[in-house]
Amino acid sequence: MPEAHEVFRFQEAAKALDIELHVLKPSEFDLVVDSLGGWSAIYQGRELRKPDLIIPRTGSETSYFTLAVLRHFERQGVAIVNPPAAIEAVADKLHTLQVLAGAGLPIPKTILGKFPVDVGLVEREIGFPVVVKKLRGTRGAGVMLCENRAQFDDLANLLDGAAQGQDFLFQQYIKASHGRDVRVLVVDGKAVAAMERRSTDGGFKSNISLGGAAMPFAPPPAMAELAVKVARELQLDVAGIDILFDKTAYRICEANSSPGFQGLERACDVDVPELVFVAMSRKFGLPLRHSARWERAIDRAAKAVLGPMPRPVNDDAPAMARAPTRRKRKPA
């Protein structure tokens, strides 16, 4: 179960902060909608108390039913991190790119595939090598690199014959970032941690879930600012932004509304769930033990980590803040 580790870590952090946390399955809800108002939530046949905060961990696999459940809570005034509209938008890779392109942010040139595949269009607009992606996918699944036209012709024939119901993206290959990228974690408008991921087998995919290696990374101000802008445009309170290295700048690979963080915590020695709890308690005015202490620590890190650089003219420009160090558990 891909999310098992992240769910466990949220449970662990909640216990340390005296937070009452319940892990619920969207499929176990019954939705009753009427015009009488008042609180309504039925889970496994029982009335559910109104929560202070919901943190969905469904990401690109979010189904229509899950979105309906989240919207039901949202319309009844429950704070949700991230909001359902943002989760739905980010689950669609092309929609994500359309939003970012509309905001003038750098993305790889992309074509939505249709059948039969127009190989000539792909060659003219993007060229080879070309990256082929499923419209919805996660952890590097459904992504491949076609080195030349011959390979692409073979793939196009396969897609035309067997995948009429699937949607694919054809995307510009960024050679300078072959086998490496940076995952930046953005929480409540701040870049709080980052890791560089590298392929260990010479392939172009660097996902840790596929065997890639991770190491802590201090993103330059321009990269941290780009990650924060992406999260802001996509209206994500918590986001994992994957950024590619280009020859002289950066390009956005994709955004994740429910980012995995096992590799990030290991590489950077940070406590991601605790940071999310603290930041969201501050954002939504929720009580939390030790929140004042962590707020001061986060603010100090945001001011100090970039060193003695001149203050940007734009007060909204983000600093790279470091998340709280993950606390070591006492031995049993």
Side-chain angles (χ1 to χ4, degrees):
M1 186 175 175
E3 281 292 329
H5 175 82
E6 281 74 11
V7 170
F8 170 76
R9 286 287 300 116
F10 269 101
Q11 291 174 315
E12 190 177 51
K15 183 177 180 180
L17 293 168
D18 288 342
I19 294 172
E20 182 182 352
L21 179 69
H22 299 276
V23 179
L24 307 179
K25 298 178 180 179
S27 61
E28 298 295 321
F29 280 93
D30 291 302
L31 300 185
V32 179
V33 181
D34 62 29
S35 57
L36 298 179
W39 171 248
S40 169
I42 301 172
Y43 185 74
Q44 295 181 342
R46 298 180 181 179
E47 188 73 21
L48 189 71
R49 288 188 292 117
K50 187 174 182 177
D52 295 314
L53 179 70
I54 294 176
I55 304 176
R57 291 294 308 177
T58 51
S60 63
E61 291 104 358
T62 305
S63 66
Y64 173 82
F65 190 87
T66 298
L67 285 170
V69 171
L70 294 176
R71 294 187 187 110
H72 187 71
F73 280 109
E74 183 180 47
R75 288 167 182 164
Q76 295 186 99
V78 179
I80 302 178
V81 180
N82 294 291
I87 293 174
E88 183 178 25
V90 174
D92 182 333
K93 295 182 189 300
L94 182 65
H95 185 73
T96 297
L97 294 172
Q98 289 170 325
V99 171
L100 299 179
L105 299 180
I107 62 168
K109 195 171 187 178
T110 304
I111 295 173
L112 176 63
K114 64 178 182 178
F115 302 94
V117 176
D118 188 340
V119 180
L121 175 67
V122 173
E123 186 170 34
R124 289 194 306 272
E125 293 293 332
I126 298 178
F128 297 103
V130 63
V131 178
V132 182
K133 293 183 177 182
K134 290 175 64 175
L135 200 59
R136 290 173 179 261
T138 185
R139 299 178 180 88
V143 181
M144 67 176 297
L145 179 68
C146 285
E147 298 280 358
N148 51 51
R149 176 157 185 160
Q151 285 186 1
F152 189 81
D153 282 336
D154 289 341
L155 176 64
N157 290 334
L158 178 65
L159 295 180
D160 285 343
Q164 293 282 345
Q166 289 278 2
D167 291 308
F168 287 86
L169 299 179
F170 307 126
Q171 194 169 73
Q172 178 185 4
Y173 166 64
I174 308 300
K175 183 178 180 180
S177 206
H178 183 94
R180 64 191 288 245
D181 68 359
V182 173
R183 161 67 61 84
V184 182
L185 180 67
V186 178
V187 179
D188 195 23
K190 292 181 181 178
V192 297
M195 64 176 173
E196 181 178 349
R197 303 181 296 190
R198 287 180 177 262
S199 169
T200 55
D201 61 3
F204 86 105
K205 290 188 282 189
S206 59
N207 304 72
I208 296 174
S209 59
L210 300 178
M215 59 206 74
F217 185 81
M223 179 184 282
E225 182 174 2
L226 177 60
V228 170
K229 285 180 178 178
V230 171
R232 184 185 304 134
E233 288 296 331
L234 297 173
Q235 300 180 17
L236 294 172
D237 301 303
V238 176
I241 310 301
D242 297 340
I243 297 179
L244 303 173
F245 297 93
D246 209 344
K247 291 179 180 178
T248 59
Y250 312 107
R251 291 188 190 242
I252 304 149
C253 179
E254 60 183 56
N256 304 272
S257 65
S258 181
F261 51 80
Q262 184 173 5
L264 185 73
E265 287 196 325
R266 188 184 301 121
C268 302
D269 192 25
V270 296
D271 191 326
V272 172
E274 183 173 52
L275 179 59
V276 171
F277 282 134
V278 170
M280 294 306 106
S281 72
R282 178 169 55 183
K283 180 180 179 69
F284 296 109
L286 304 176
L288 182 64
R289 192 181 82 180
H290 303 320
S291 62
R293 175 170 66 88
W294 283 119
E295 285 179 17
R296 289 194 296 270
I298 293 169
D299 289 340
R300 283 197 302 269
K303 295 175 182 176
V305 75
L306 291 179
M309 296 181 64
R311 182 175 179 83
V313 175
N314 178 7
D315 289 337
D316 292 330
M320 175 67 188
R322 191 170 68 191
T325 300
R326 180 174 174 180
R327 288 195 293 264
K328 306 296 183 184
R329 285 182 290 172
K330 295 180 180 179

